[in-house]
């Protein structure tokens, strides 16, 4: 795929909102994979799967099961333009407050936290985004151990995320949400905080960039021309374990795929969904994205997709010149 896509500017204006200002991620071009169960927990299939990522971003309308290329798809991209990349714990008076400073290693653990509002009190009313009111992401500083969870909230506003066992080291957690009330109602935020897991940490090297990734026998082929200068189209083609094109993708969080990317070094988070709309009968084999990757460098990208009721996670490294 080349950068000569000027003729698609009208489409970009309509659906780019999905990614615009989202210094968003995308692009799978790398090696490495991880396995995830239906709870959203992922254990890297390559202990060395590390670094990458990228800055700000949000999801497309497809993330809500809406027609992906509709103007409404641009809402999240617009919010991402505000700089919600998880690098700060607070924005517009909303603050992520973990109830613990550290978590134990080598065993499943619960992570409690609250989101306080401009009045300093825990927020208890959240809008649904990608079929959930809260998304929690976790990644170690070397970009291994990715987890994507959907916490449960108590009446007092305390959220609890059940995390899979964590390796020793410094971890960053991200809360992605949209308030349902107040002056910023409907605005999507991604706030981040650091927690420490005690023990001897051994950092893993970042897998090299590549054009394909494999997860649970599925092969994902990525085509695109990444650039930090402007938004660009990206396609991901899925081939099944039998070598045939995948046509039975099932909706996951209202879309056929969920992409999370982390920038090597600063751990900025971006996530986004394909503009490919969900239809009856299953999706695939090609998913189309529009991405704006405003930072050059390495990104570690995690693509989650579902077939036969099972959630798969592929991890790839993308190099943006």
């Amino acid at each position: 795929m080349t950068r000569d896509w000027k003729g698609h500017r009208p489409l970009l204006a309509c659906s780019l909102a999905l990614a615009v200002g989202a210094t968003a991620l995308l692009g799978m071009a790398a090696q490495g994979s991880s396995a995830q169960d239906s709870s959203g927990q992922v254990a890297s299939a390559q202990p060395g799967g590390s670094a990458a990522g990228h800055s700000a971003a949000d999801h497309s309308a497809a993330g809500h099961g809406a027609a992906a290329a509709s103007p409404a798809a641009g809402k999240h991209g617009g919010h991402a333009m505000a700089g919600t990349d998880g690098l700060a714990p607070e924005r517009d008076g909303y603050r992520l407050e973990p109830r613990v400073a550290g978590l134990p290693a080598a065993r499943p653990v619960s992570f409690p936290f609250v989101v306080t509002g401009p009045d300093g009190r825990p927020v208890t009313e959240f809008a649904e985004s990608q079929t959930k009111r809260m998304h929690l992401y976790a990644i170690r500083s070397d970009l291994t151990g990715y987890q994507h969870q959907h916490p449960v909230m108590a009446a007092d506003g305390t959220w609890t995320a059940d995390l899979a066992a964590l390796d020793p080291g410094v971890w960053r957690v991200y809360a992605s949400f949209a308030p349902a009330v107040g002056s910023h109602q409907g605005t999507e935020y991604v706030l981040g905080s650091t927690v420490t897991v005690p023990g001897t940490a051994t950092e893993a090297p970042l897998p090299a960039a590549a054009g394909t990734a494999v997860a649970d026998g599925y092969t994902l082929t990525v085509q695109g021309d990444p650039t930090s200068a402007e938004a660009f189209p990206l396609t991901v083609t899925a081939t099944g374990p039998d070598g045939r094109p995948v046509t039975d993708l099932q909706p996951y969080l209202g879309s056929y795929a969920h992409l999370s990317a982390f920038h090597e070094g600063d751990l900025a988070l971006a996530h986004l969904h394909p503009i490919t709309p969900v239809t009856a009968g299953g999706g695939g084999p090609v998913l189309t994205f529009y991405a704006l990757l405003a930072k050059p460098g390495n990104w570690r990208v995690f693509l989650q997709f579902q077939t036969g009721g099972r959630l798969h996670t592929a991890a790839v490294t993308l190099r943006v010149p």
Side-chain angles (χ1 to χ4, degrees), residues 95-286:
R95 185 175 185 82
L96 170 61
E97 297 186 0
R99 291 308 198 199
V100 294
L103 294 170
R107 64 177 177 83
V109 63
S110 293
F111 174 67
F113 66 95
V114 298
V115 172
T116 55
D119 60 0
R121 299 177 180 177
V123 179
T124 58
E125 296 184 68
F126 295 85
E128 193 172 272
S129 177
Q130 312 149 64
T131 75
K132 303 292 182 179
R133 293 190 300 157
M134 179 69 70
H135 297 261
L136 185 95
Y137 303 88
I139 196 80
R140 203 171 73 151
S141 60
D142 64 353
L143 300 181
T144 61
Y146 169 75
Q147 296 191 44
H148 174 190
Q149 302 289 347
H150 305 116
V152 175
M153 189 188 75
D156 66 355
T158 299
W159 291 91
T160 301
D162 293 327
L163 299 176
L166 305 174
D167 290 331
V170 177
W171 288 73
R172 189 157 190 85
V173 293
Y174 310 77
S176 175
F177 63 91
V181 297
S183 59
H184 295 286
Q185 176 181 349
T187 299
E188 293 199 10
Y189 293 94
V190 181
L191 305 180
S193 184
T194 297
V195 295
T196 300
V197 177
T200 302
T202 302
E203 293 203 356
L206 174 68
T212 60
V214 177
D216 302 325
Y218 290 85
T219 299
L220 303 176
T221 302
V222 180
Q223 293 180 299
D225 192 3
T227 172
S228 60
E230 63 177 357
F232 64 92
L234 182 86
T235 61
V236 177
T237 303
T239 303
D242 59 1
R244 298 179 180 179
V246 174
T247 58
D248 62 344
L249 292 176
Q250 298 173 327
Y252 170 59
L253 302 178
S255 179
Y256 282 135
H258 182 281
L259 276 167
S260 304
F262 301 85
H263 187 261
E264 182 180 21
D266 63 7
L267 301 186
L269 167 66
H271 48 97
L272 174 95
H273 294 247
I275 64 172
T276 309
V278 172
T279 58
V286 179

